[in-house]
Amino acid sequence: MVSRSRLCRMFVATLMVLTLCLGWGTAAQATSYDRQNLRQSDWSHQDLRGNDYTRADMADADMSHTNLRGVRLFDTTLARANMEGADMTGATLDGARFVQANLTNAILAGAYAFGTDFREAIIDGADFTDVLLDPKVNKMLCDVAQGINPVTGRKTRDTLYCP
């Protein structure tokens, strides 16, 4: 027969092992930068999955080669930001302003981007697969679309359904 104290220690030890196993290898907690001034900040080459940058000012920020899957960039200012090679798959981009941003080879597949401003953005090699865009914005992007995304192998023009 096992003593009550030994049984209790075994239970606590089992809980500790389970806690370590379940927490091992999980991504860091998502962080909120809602309404913060992040101008000219350097986020390049980082894993930023799930972060919230809603209404943040990220003008001139370097977000090149970042993992931005599932981030919230709702109503975020990204004017002149370097987004080259960024993976924004499934991100919320509604109302974001990518005016003159560098989106070369970025992946926006499945992102929510209705009402997003892409004026004068560089989109060479960007992948817009399954991105819902305003028809006027889609036409504007088709006027400058070129290149093939090096990761997905998709032509930018094809992902925008350009004529």
Side-chain angles (χ1 to χ4, degrees):
M1 181 175 257
V2 178
S3 72
R4 184 174 266 186
S5 65
R6 184 157 191 244
L7 187 61
C8 187
R9 283 194 305 264
M10 288 173 40
F11 178 73
V12 170
T14 302
L15 281 178
M16 289 174 59
V17 169
L18 281 173
T19 302
L20 287 173
C21 288
L22 292 175
W24 201 269
T26 59
Q29 289 286 331
T31 306
S32 176
Y33 297 96
D34 188 7
R35 297 185 177 128
Q36 292 190 25
N37 180 350
L38 302 170
R39 286 177 160 258
Q40 300 179 343
S41 52
D42 185 353
W43 303 83
S44 60
H45 301 277
Q46 293 185 45
D47 185 349
L48 305 171
R49 284 177 290 177
N51 283 356
D52 183 357
Y53 300 94
T54 297
R55 293 181 289 276
D57 184 352
M58 301 184 80
D60 301 299
D62 185 355
M63 299 188 85
S64 60
H65 307 285
T66 54
N67 184 342
L68 296 166
R69 288 174 165 259
V71 300
R72 288 185 48 85
L73 293 166
F74 178 77
D75 203 26
T76 303
T77 298
L78 291 147
R80 299 170 308 282
N82 183 4
M83 309 293 291
E84 182 174 353
D87 184 351
M88 293 177 268
T89 301
T92 301
L93 310 175
D94 294 348
R97 292 168 296 284
F98 288 99
V99 178
Q100 297 178 340
N102 179 5
L103 294 163
T104 301
N105 298 328
I107 301 171
L108 296 95
Y112 302 98
F114 207 79
T116 302
D117 188 349
F118 290 102
R119 283 179 291 143
E120 299 180 51
I122 301 165
I123 62 165
D124 300 351
D127 184 339
F128 287 88
T129 300
D130 298 327
V131 176
L132 180 63
L133 297 165
D134 179 279
K136 289 179 184 176
V137 171
N138 202 101
K139 183 185 179 323
M140 178 200 65
L141 292 174
C142 281
D143 289 343
V144 297
Q146 63 182 7
I148 299 171
N149 187 279
V151 175
T152 66
R154 297 180 185 124
K155 293 180 182 179
T156 301
R157 295 186 60 77
D158 291 348
T159 65
L160 290 165
Y161 299 103
C162 298

